[in-house]
Amino acid sequence: MKSQSIKLFLNLKNIAVVGVSSKGKGFGVTVYNHLKENGYITFAVNKNGGFSSNTKLYPSLESIGQKIDGIITVVPPSETEIIVQEAKEFGINNIWMQQGSESENAVNFCKENKIDVTYGECILMFVEPVKSIHSFHRWINKIIGKYPKMESVN
């Protein structure tokens, strides 16, 4: 089941990354840049809005004003709980909760509302090409059997 959710998410094109820092560094920025560099249409969301380098930061999902297929949360769990409710409101049915941003309440909300949710996984171990430490981490997870068997998913 987890591998199906991952594969579904990887096939989306318009993705909002919630938690992109205005300082131009941090994991949200890394996720945003990697997706953008690899063909995804990405929207950077930071509740304060503004810009990070030349990247527009949207203060909310609603302010994007374009179709969003999926959301990646890179925020504290309490903020993810709000984001999943907004996703439902806007008809967004695919959410990836980056490790550390998930909460039991947010996961349960997604499941109860038929929102496809991925959690407990790092998006950077799945968006090709997988680079640097994420490549090594993926290799280790494959060896120890923690990496979802993606090839078996249709």
Side-chain angles (χ1 to χ4, degrees), residues 46-60:
N46 177 304
K47 63 184 173 187
N48 297 317
F51 285 86
S52 173
S53 299
N54 293 327
T55 301
K56 178 176 176 48
L57 301 174
Y58 294 91
S60 66

Side-chain angles (χ1 to χ4, degrees), residues 14 43 46 49 56 65 73-74 84-86 90 127 131 139-140 147:
N14 300 311
F43 304 96
N46 177 304
K56 178 176 176 48
T73 60
V74 190
V84 297
Q85 293 175 23
E86 289 178 10
F90 298 125
V127 175
K131 299 178 181 177
W139 178 73
I140 293 292
Y147 190 82

Side-chain angles (χ1 to χ4, degrees), residues 84-101:
V84 297
Q85 293 175 23
E86 289 178 10
K88 180 181 185 269
E89 185 181 321
F90 298 125
I92 302 166
N93 294 314
N94 298 284
I95 298 182
W96 188 300
M97 298 176 195
Q98 185 59 36
Q99 291 169 313
S101 74

Side-chain angles (χ1 to χ4, degrees), residues 85-152:
Q85 293 175 23
E86 289 178 10
K88 180 181 185 269
E89 185 181 321
F90 298 125
I92 302 166
N93 294 314
N94 298 284
I95 298 182
W96 188 300
M97 298 176 195
Q98 185 59 36
Q99 291 169 313
S101 74
E102 70 269 24
S103 76
E104 187 175 339
N105 288 338
V107 170
N108 288 339
F109 180 88
C110 289
K111 290 177 179 179
E112 291 165 6
N113 289 280
K114 297 182 177 30
I115 296 171
D116 198 77
V117 60
T118 302
Y119 58 95
E121 298 290 347
C122 176
I123 187 77
L124 297 179
M125 287 181 35
F126 297 94
V127 175
E128 298 290 347
V130 177
K131 299 178 181 177
S132 68
I133 192 69
H134 297 95
S135 178
F136 177 71
H137 190 207
R138 178 168 77 169
W139 178 73
I140 293 292
N141 279 358
K142 285 181 177 182
I143 288 174
I144 64 174
K146 285 183 66 181
Y147 190 82
K149 295 187 183 325
M150 300 300 291
E151 62 277 357
S152 64

Side-chain angles (χ1 to χ4, degrees), residues 77-88:
S78 60
E79 290 181 40
T80 297
E81 292 174 6
I82 296 166
I83 294 299
V84 297
Q85 293 175 23
E86 289 178 10
K88 180 181 185 269

